[in-house]
Amino acid sequence: QFEDFGNSTAFKLLNMTRDRFNTFNDDIQGTACVALGGIMSSLKVEKTPSKLADHKIVFLGAGEAGCGIGSLIAYAISKEDGITIEEARKNIWFIDSKGLITASRDQAKKLPHHKQEFAHDASAFEGPLDNLLDVIKAIKPTMLIGVSATPNAFTKKVCEYMAEINEVPIIFALSNPTHKCECSAQQAYDWTGGKCIFASGSPFGTITSHGKSFEPGQGNNAYIFPGLALGVIAAEAKKIPESLFYETAVCLANLVTGEDYARGSVYPPLEKIRHVSLEIAKQVAESCFKLGLARAKQPDEIEAWIRSKVTDFDY
């Protein structure tokens, strides 16, 4: 696992190593995995489009985290709907410091490769597209994801408009620490009439808004890397393909209970992280054996085998 490299270096190193070594980048792939897990559990909420392909998604921020999430979402849509990755990307849009990333911008000045994949034709949209509110009015997204480290970027007008065009707007303000978050949980609930699905990169505790209490989930990479690493190490995986991150996200989403949804969270409680990690490790190891990635001998009882690999510090 590696992280904390600059954008261009991180993507370059990942592309150099992903098919050769048993490694992954936590900023790109770990963040993508935990975000996709939260998104997939959001699809189970009533009045939310239940298919990922039916969503329009706008990202604020087009660095490692944002493009990593966008790429894994596109992979998930491609896998679930049987379409090409290129087609799966068409409803995923990015805004960077210069505005909406479009095909015309890529032609005028070559964009970095990780942005080129999401540079769509925006000729059908009228007016300027250089700020978030204009973009969401043009695209009308069902989902807004912040990975920009720009505090207060999700303004009252932005959140109100998301609530106006969606029965249940999905708003993920994933930048951390708290002072860099695009909006607070309190703001998101207050400005959407308490009807949004909210997750963040920083913890916010219990929120009261519009007569209801919420305990929004935190999209913490700690949900992902312990279990993923345990699974690939136990199976002695040759490499970690995109499919394993997808399987991990599905596993995480399936661990969200009715009780979690009732408190306003699309993630399991972090207090259950040990259980979450074991379930993810089991799923990852099973996938490694199924895909022919494992070099270890497949055990008869995979859960007991995984548990035998875990050190217990209680004595």
Side-chain angles (χ1 to χ4, degrees):
Q1 175 187 331
F2 63 101
E3 60 186 317
D4 294 334
F5 287 85
N7 285 338
S8 59
T9 303
F11 282 105
K12 181 180 178 181
L13 287 173
L14 179 59
N15 290 332
M16 284 172 54
T17 59
R18 69 194 312 166
D19 292 323
R20 298 170 57 204
F21 304 109
N22 192 355
T23 189
F24 69 97
N25 181 280
D26 193 50
D27 294 323
I28 300 171
Q29 295 166 293
T31 301
C33 195
V34 75
L36 180 60
I39 289 166
M40 295 183 87
S41 61
S42 298
L43 305 187
K44 300 175 187 179
V45 175
E46 190 178 356
K47 297 181 181 179
T48 303
S50 59
K51 278 185 63 179
L52 198 49
D54 292 337
H55 285 264
K56 291 182 181 179
I57 306 168
V58 167
F59 282 83
L60 183 65
E64 294 170 64
C67 290
I69 299 168
S71 294
L72 192 57
I73 291 173
Y75 177 88
I77 294 171
S78 173
K79 185 175 179 66
E80 292 173 1
D81 280 48
I83 60 176
T84 65
I85 287 285
E86 291 74 21
E87 191 177 354
R89 292 186 189 118
K90 69 179 182 180
N91 282 334
I92 304 171
W93 296 82
F94 280 84
I95 303 170
D96 63 9
S97 59
K98 296 179 176 61
L100 187 67
I101 293 175
T102 64
S104 59
R105 268 186 61 190
D106 187 34
Q107 290 165 4
K109 186 177 182 181
K110 205 69 173 174
L111 293 165
H113 185 265
H114 62 278
K115 294 184 182 182
Q116 289 175 24
E117 295 175 340
F118 297 97
H120 305 313
D121 179 10
S123 58
F125 302 135
E126 297 179 359
L129 295 170
D130 53 4
N131 69 73
L132 178 57
L133 187 58
D134 287 341
V135 168
I136 66 169
K137 284 184 176 180
I139 295 174
K140 294 180 170 49
T142 55
M143 197 179 304
L144 180 60
I145 301 176
V147 279
S148 65
T150 306
N152 306 312
F154 293 175
T155 63
K156 186 172 186 284
K157 287 184 178 180
V158 164
C159 293
E160 285 177 341
Y161 190 76
M162 285 293 293
E164 181 183 326
I165 61 174
N166 297 290
E167 283 194 84
V168 183
I170 298 171
I171 299 175
F172 281 18
L174 298 180
S175 294
N176 56 57
T178 308
H179 70 272
K180 291 187 177 181
C181 201
E182 287 78 12
C183 71
S184 69
Q186 187 75 61
Q187 290 168 330
Y189 291 123
D190 285 351
W191 294 340
T192 62
K195 68 178 190 175
C196 72
I197 297 171
F198 180 83
S200 59
S202 300
F204 279 105
T206 303
I207 304 296
T208 301
S209 180
H210 294 271
K212 294 185 286 186
S213 290
F214 303 89
E215 294 179 43
Q218 180 191 1
N220 193 317
N221 290 21
Y223 283 117
I224 303 302
F225 63 81
L228 177 67
L230 176 58
V232 296
I233 290 170
E236 298 177 27
K238 300 170 188 174
K239 59 182 179 178
I240 312 176
E242 203 78 342
S243 58
L244 289 187
F245 293 98
Y246 169 75
E247 295 287 350
T248 298
V250 171
C251 181
L252 177 60
N254 288 338
L255 292 171
V256 179
T257 66
E259 187 178 306
D260 298 325
Y261 286 119
R263 64 187 175 88
S265 178
V266 291
Y267 290 104
L270 274 168
E271 292 78 15
K272 295 183 178 179
I273 193 68
R274 195 174 180 87
H275 169 68
V276 170
S277 297
L278 285 167
E279 289 298 313
I280 286 174
K282 185 173 72 171
Q283 178 61 57
V284 167
E286 286 176 347
S287 295
C288 286
F289 288 116
K290 184 167 59 178
L291 295 170
L293 295 171
R295 286 174 287 205
K297 182 181 177 182
Q298 187 167 355
D300 294 328
E301 220 304 300
I302 201 160
E303 183 168 349
W305 177 69
I306 285 290
R307 288 184 180 276
S308 74
K309 307 287 183 182
V310 178
T311 301
D312 189 347
F313 291 99
D314 292 332
Y315 61 92

